[in-house]
Structures are given as C-alpha cells and as structure tokens.
Amino acid sequence: MHLKELQLNNYRNYKSEEVSFQDQVNVFIGENAQGKTNIMEAIYVLGFAKSHRTPRDKELIRWDCEYGKIEGRIQKRNGPLSLQIVISQKGKKAKYNHIEQRRLTDYIGALNIVMFAPEDLNLVKGSPQVRRRFIDMEIGQISPVYLHHLSQYQKILQQRNHLLRDLGRRRKSEQEMMLDILTEQLVEYAVKIVSKRHQFLKMLQEWASPIHSGITKGKESLEIQYKSSVQVSDSADMTKMIEEYNDKFTKIKEKEMERGTTMAGPHRDDLMLYVNEKDVQIYGSQGQQRTTALSLKLAEIDLIKSEVGEYPLLLLDDVLSELDDSRQSHLLNTIQGKVQTFVTTTSVDGIEHETLKSASLFNVEHGTATLIK
Amino acid sequence: MHYPEPISKLIDSFMKLPGIGPKTAVRLAFFVLEMKEDDVFEFGKALVNAKRDLTYCSNCHHITDRDPCMICEDTSRDQTTICVVHDSKDVIAMEKMREYRGLYHVLHGAISPVEGIGPEDIKVAELIKRLQDDTVQELIMATDPNIEGEATAMYISRLVKPTGIKITRIAHGLPVGGDLEYADEVTLSRALEGRREI
C-alpha cells in the first residue's frame, strides 16, 4: 500500500499543509524542531489512531486551535482509500472512506505501518512493558479480534484488581465466589491472548532470523521466546492452557489477596531475545542490541506482507544516520523498490545508495514541507 | 446570559435529563412557554404521577403501578420459568416479543467491583428467596453480554446450581435478518464460537 497524499490542518506546528508522495522513498530534510518528526507522527496516527509519542491526543492539536485534522489518501491493492482523524477538545473521530467508525478497532488495520525510531532501541533494552506494547500493536494491526480480547482482558483485570484491593468489605463466601468468577473470566481471555502472542512470535522468528544472520553476515543467530508468567507447555491446546492458568491462580491466591493485585497473566509476560543463545538484553553489546531491534522491525515488514497481502509503509525517524554502513545498506536493500518509505534526517550527505538517488526530497522548515527534488 | 428565574429553573430541570445539553434545554424551555396552559398542566401532572404512582413490584422488582405487578399477577403465565434481566427496560423489550410467557426478575444493576457494586447491592438475595419453593424449574440468564453482565450471570448460576434448577444463558451472535457482511469482526467471531450442528 502507498500513501499518495497527506493533508494536515492545525496539527502540531502545521497550520495547513498538503503533501504528495512518490511510491518509493520520501526523505524529509531539515534542522531540528522544524516539524520532521511531526510528519512521521501524523502518518503513524493515521494508521493507529494514536500517537507513538504521547498518550494525550490533545497535544496533537496546534497551539490555541479548537481541533486538528489529519487526512490521507491511500492506494491499496484493491483500490483507493481515504482515512481521516479529527482530534478536538472533546475527543477524536476516525473516518474510513468518509464514514465515521464508532469503534477504533474497526479503523485500525486499514493502513499498516512499521516505524523505526531511535526509541525503538528500547525494544531490546527497555522494560517488559515496551516489548508487550510492541507485540500488542503489531498483532493489533493484523487481527482486530485480538484488540477486542485485549480490551476485554484489561476490563476484567481492572475489576479483579479492585476486588483484591477492597477485600474485607464484603462477606467472605461472597468474596471468594466473586474472585473465582473473575479468575475464570480472566483466564478465558488470557488464554486467547497468550496463544495469539505465541503464534505471532513464532512467525516473527521465522522472518527475523534470516534477516539477522544476513545483517551480521552469518555470524549471529537470533532467537525469540515468549516468557509467560505461567508454564505453557502447548500454546495450541487451549484446554490444557486453561488448566495451567487455573493451577497457577490457585497457588498464588493467598499472595494475591495479601498484595491486592493480580500477579499472573499476559499483562506481566515478556519477550525474550537471544543472540547466539545469550540473552541480548543483558549480555548484548550496544551494536548487537541495535541489530536485534532492526531485525525485528524488518521482519515485521515481511510478516505484514504475508498476513495482509501488501507491504506496509515504513517510517524511519532519525535512524538512518544512527546505523553503520553495513546495517544501512542492508536496510535500504530490503526496502528497495517494494516498500514505500518515509525518512527523516538532518542531512543526506554521506549516504551513497541507489535507493536514495531516486528518492523525493522535501525541505522541512517552520511547519512547511516543500518538494526540492 | 440572564434569564428570568422561572425559565432558568426550567432550563436547569431539562438539563438533568439524559442526552439533553444546554442548547436543547433552552429550546425546550422556550417551547414550553409557547404551549397551551392545559397541555403544560397535563405534562407536569404526568411527570409527577409517573414518579408518585409507580413503584417496584415486591416480587420481581419490575416498575409497576400496583403491587404485585401485572406480569406476576397473571396466572396464565408459566410460573416455572424466570428470566433474569438488568433493568425494567429489558423486561419491556422481552415483552414486546410476545413469545416469552414466563416470569421476570429485575436485578437493577450488575456486579462490578470497580464501581463498588457487589451482589448485595443488586436484587440477588431477593431472587434466591423466590426459588425457595419448588415452583421454579428454569432460570434464563438474560443479563447484558458484557464483562459485568457475564460475571453477574456466572455468580447467580453458582449460587443456584446446588438446588438443581436448570440455568440457561441467552445466545449471542448475529442479529437475525442482518447481513453477515455487515457484522463486525467481534460479533462474527462470537457467533462462530457458538455455532451449532444442523
């Protein structure tokens, strides 16, 4: 899929801007604080209906304005598509082909995006939360049902935590029964989420490991594992998994009641990354961690292609200059001719690659983007 | 803006109703000024009477103007089946169907620890009391198909299980007469989960 046109109104530092893109590589060049990343963010918001930088939508509205609008014209394999996000002081509206979508889960997934930004290095180094967010966002792009399960799970989790926190306010038998019921509901969704995550990571591993060994010229092998708070012997066997979760919750019941919070389930799971069989989070060098993050991101491109049938957009925010020559050329070779890519950088000097020679260059200054080549 | 007190009071009252914001409230208030005095009087009386004359049925807790309510009084109805719902609006929806001939029980809420609502805050104990003699043979759980409704149904079913009364849950899935292609993914996947052999 390709983003043909992007229109911004009262968004961040853009008053009113309309930009057309080519199907290959589009590069935004400019000094810091001119609005390069804002364009990347706008494309991201168009796909995910939320920003990767802030949970507060209102920040996206231009200073002193009532509302902000992002609109995109997309060319998909089976025809054109128009997407629009309007953010006002009251909330946001997402429109798919001019029709407002009541639920964001119906909207997300229309425009597939893979983004690689400096903070993505945190994917390897950061907290488990960062990695869970990565898994959830990526599966959400290809499975709307997963997003629904996830939101149901969050609701039950909230109910269950409240119950555990307010213990002693009700009769004991009543409490026990309510806890049992909420556990049963929690497990029902936990199993669906965990099984989907297993399945996703298995696919991701299949795509990522040849990429990783390609970048490292065969010197390193990458392995991805899902670390669950519950021993999962077979992620495909749902009944078995339910039993395993039930056992776990029976075992930790006392502890949960003491601490007043839910202590097992997908909200506490993690993603483990091994390079040459060593945990790269702990033992990996800076460079290995960077390569691992890059392999995962590049693998996503192929994974989305195989699941959705079309290549996603690739957003490279300020990372090209961060990569050394061999990683840079591996990245550019991968996208060459097939993935529409958006790049921000302060300068293109020193990057000698075929892919960039045919790219469109935009100069970004004070909230305007002008085509210079 | 400054309105004379009687009308600003009226605007205020309209704004207490659900779905009515300041603009609509002003429009409605000015409309009332244009109405015939008799109509206004009737309107006021209807409001007061609705509140004064309606109570909850001491048996099923449905809204009624006499106790017990018409449904509970009706001996031609099937006394062995009780349909358990969240609120009175659900009873009215079920009654519109004209197919169900059993009794009802209105819970007035759903279990939700987040909102501080436990089983003792809704009419669960009252339901259990109704099951004491052996008349009732089936409970149909028609609580909403969301997390709280589901938890409420599970709670009641666990309480009642030991008595041997049959407990059923209404089905969820595709709306009848709708097109498959217009259903959202979540409803579709629920419908798929609950498929049956034909």
Side-chain angles (χ1 to χ4, degrees):
Chain A
M1 54 189 82
H2 303 290
L3 178 62
K4 293 292 195 184
E5 260 171 44
L6 183 70
Q7 209 179 318
L8 304 173
N9 292 92
N10 297 332
Y11 160 82
R12 292 273 192 194
N13 67 338
Y14 290 87
K15 190 166 190 294
S16 172
E17 184 67 306
E18 203 176 327
V19 200
S20 302
F21 301 114
Q22 60 143 300
D23 288 352
Q24 309 290 324
V25 180
N26 299 278
V27 185
F28 301 98
I29 309 164
E31 298 291 309
N32 289 326
Q34 299 299 314
K36 299 192 300 290
T37 297
N38 289 349
I39 290 192
M40 295 300 210
E41 187 188 38
I43 300 174
Y44 189 93
V45 174
L46 214 48
F48 291 100
K50 65 176 167 195
S51 165
H52 65 293
R53 291 198 290 186
T54 169
R56 288 170 295 278
D57 293 327
K58 280 183 205 163
E59 286 177 20
L60 303 182
I61 306 173
R62 194 177 134 94
W63 188 251
D64 268 357
C65 286
E66 286 292 306
Y67 72 96
K69 190 168 85 178
I70 306 168
E71 210 173 340
R73 212 164 55 76
I74 288 121
Q75 184 64 41
K76 289 185 92 161
R77 196 176 36 163
N78 46 14
L81 167 71
S82 138
L83 294 179
Q84 192 191 82
I85 298 276
V86 180
I87 297 152
S88 68
Q89 298 295 337
K90 280 190 212 147
K92 64 185 158 194
K93 283 182 187 164
K95 285 187 183 172
Y96 180 101
N97 271 343
H98 312 288
I99 299 163
E100 188 181 334
Q101 300 296 305
R102 206 166 43 83
R103 281 191 311 217
L104 290 180
T105 47
D106 291 340
Y107 175 89
I108 299 166
L111 174 64
N112 299 116
I113 290 171
V114 171
M115 182 178 223
F116 194 37
E119 58 264 30
D120 280 313
L121 290 174
N122 279 333
L123 199 57
V124 181
K125 283 195 289 189
S127 69
Q129 197 184 353
V130 178
R131 285 181 290 277
R132 282 195 298 269
R133 185 166 177 268
F134 161 76
I135 304 178
D136 292 342
M137 292 295 269
E138 300 319 327
I139 305 179
Q141 284 204 59
I142 48 182
S143 164
V145 175
Y146 178 81
L147 284 182
H148 172 73
H149 289 161
L150 207 60
S151 88
Q152 294 293 91
Y153 180 83
Q154 294 296 350
K155 280 184 199 152
I156 302 167
L157 185 66
Q158 211 190 350
Q159 293 282 14
R160 197 172 182 275
N161 283 341
H162 260 269
L163 183 71
L164 285 166
R165 209 175 305 150
D166 296 344
L167 284 179
R169 279 197 20 215
R170 303 175 196 288
R171 268 183 292 134
K172 196 155 187 297
S173 62
E174 208 168 72
Q175 247 166 36
E176 294 259 317
M177 198 140 85
M178 276 167 72
L179 186 60
D180 274 359
I181 286 166
L182 286 171
T183 308
E184 194 182 319
Q185 286 186 311
L186 193 80
V187 170
E188 186 193 337
Y189 286 98
V191 163
K192 287 178 180 159
I193 291 167
V194 171
S195 138
K196 190 79 191 177
R197 284 183 181 174
H198 267 283
Q199 200 191 333
F200 169 77
L201 291 178
K202 216 167 131 191
M203 287 196 292
L204 193 67
Q205 151 103 33
E206 269 166 38
W207 292 109
S209 80
I211 293 172
H212 192 92
S213 93
I215 301 176
T216 57
K217 303 194 176 66
K219 277 183 278 189
E220 288 177 13
S221 70
L222 174 67
E223 201 196 330
I224 305 170
Q225 265 178 29
Y226 188 66
K227 191 175 135 202
S228 176
S229 48
V230 166
Q231 276 288 332
V232 177
S233 49
D234 181 4
S235 61
D237 186 349
M238 294 278 196
T239 12
K240 184 114 188 279
M241 213 152 104
I242 290 174
E243 267 171 43
E244 281 159 344
Y245 268 100
N246 286 338
D247 288 350
K248 176 79 178 181
F249 279 114
T250 317
K251 248 184 244 161
I252 60 173
K253 191 171 171 184
E254 295 293 318
K255 217 156 111 195
E256 284 194 323
M257 288 166 87
E258 206 179 288
R259 304 232 180 130
T261 187
T262 300
M263 294 174 66
H267 67 291
R268 293 174 80 102
D269 291 354
D270 197 0
L271 167 68
M272 304 297 286
L273 299 160
Y274 298 95
V275 166
N276 290 341
E277 287 162 18
K278 283 197 188 108
D279 184 345
V280 67
Q281 190 192 2
I282 305 169
Y283 304 106
S285 70
Q286 187 95 325
Q288 280 176 322
Q289 293 178 342
R290 199 165 287 192
T291 313
T292 305
L294 182 62
S295 305
L296 290 181
K297 287 288 168 176
L298 292 180
E300 267 182 67
I301 296 177
D302 292 315
L303 197 152
I304 289 174
K305 160 81 171 142
S306 87
E307 285 296 298
V308 180
E310 273 184 279
Y311 280 110
L313 310 189
L314 177 64
L315 309 181
L316 300 173
D317 188 15
D318 245 346
V319 283
L320 218 45
S321 51
E322 299 263 319
L323 300 172
D324 62 26
D325 288 350
S326 86
R327 293 200 193 99
Q328 220 173 60
S329 65
H330 199 93
L331 174 68
L332 294 170
N333 286 339
T334 320
I335 59 171
Q336 199 161 28
K338 32 182 210 192
V339 186
Q340 190 189 21
T341 306
F342 299 85
V343 182
T344 67
T345 181
T346 44
S347 149
V348 276
D349 300 341
I351 303 175
E352 300 287 331
H353 195 280
E354 274 304 302
T355 321
L356 281 192
K357 288 202 181 111
S358 56
S360 290
L361 302 184
F362 295 89
N363 184 36
V364 178
E365 211 174 356
H366 297 306
T368 54
T370 354
L371 182 70
I372 47 174
K373 197 199 97 183
Chain B
M1 217 177 297
H2 265 308
Y3 295 112
E5 202 193 323
I7 194 158
S8 70
K9 254 188 177 162
L10 187 57
I11 293 170
D12 239 23
S13 304
F14 275 124
M15 273 170 64
K16 287 189 181 129
L17 301 174
I20 295 190
K23 274 186 197 159
T24 315
V26 170
R27 217 183 80 215
L28 291 176
F30 276 92
F31 183 80
V32 170
L33 296 186
E34 300 288 309
M35 279 164 74
K36 274 195 238 138
E37 193 166 339
D38 281 356
D39 288 344
V40 176
F41 189 68
E42 278 300 310
F43 186 34
K45 217 165 79 182
L47 277 177
V48 175
N49 287 354
K51 189 65 196 172
R52 192 183 289 153
D53 298 343
L54 283 183
T55 55
Y56 295 109
C57 170
S58 58
N59 191 41
C60 70
H61 302 278
H62 181 41
I63 41 160
T64 177
D65 52 355
R66 57 176 163 184
D67 189 18
C69 72
M70 266 159 65
I71 298 172
C72 290
E73 283 261 271
D74 186 349
T75 46
S76 73
R77 296 188 77 115
D78 177 6
Q79 307 287 320
T80 64
T81 314
I82 293 180
C83 176
V84 181
V85 295
H86 279 314
D87 61 31
S88 288
K89 276 179 284 177
D90 299 332
V91 175
I92 289 157
M94 290 287 287
E95 280 300 286
K96 252 198 241 159
M97 170 177 71
R98 289 173 187 279
E99 286 293 324
Y100 177 68
R101 296 292 300 154
L103 303 177
Y104 293 95
H105 189 85
V106 183
L107 292 170
H108 291 285
I111 296 176
S112 168
V114 171
E115 293 162 84
I117 301 172
E120 74 276 18
D121 302 312
I122 58 176
K123 309 284 179 203
V124 173
E126 288 82 349
L127 174 65
I128 304 302
K129 210 175 281 165
R130 286 179 74 184
L131 307 176
Q132 295 305 336
D133 58 17
D134 293 335
T135 337
V136 178
Q137 281 157 26
E138 182 179 354
L139 274 190
I140 302 170
M141 302 306 304
T143 51
D144 291 344
N146 53 25
I147 301 291
E148 294 80 16
E150 222 49 79
T152 311
M154 282 160 84
Y155 186 86
I156 292 171
S157 88
R158 284 191 193 199
L159 277 183
V160 177
K161 256 285 144 60
T163 64
I165 293 173
K166 182 171 157 195
I167 304 159
T168 52
R169 180 89 175 98
I170 51 161
H172 15 240
L174 296 172
V176 176
D179 281 324
L180 198 68
E181 56 174 325
Y182 294 129
D184 60 280
E185 293 89 343
V186 175
T187 308
L188 264 178
S189 86
R190 270 305 255 291
L192 203 61
E193 275 172 30
R195 70 186 182 277
R196 59 195 168 81
E197 210 170 309
I198 50 172

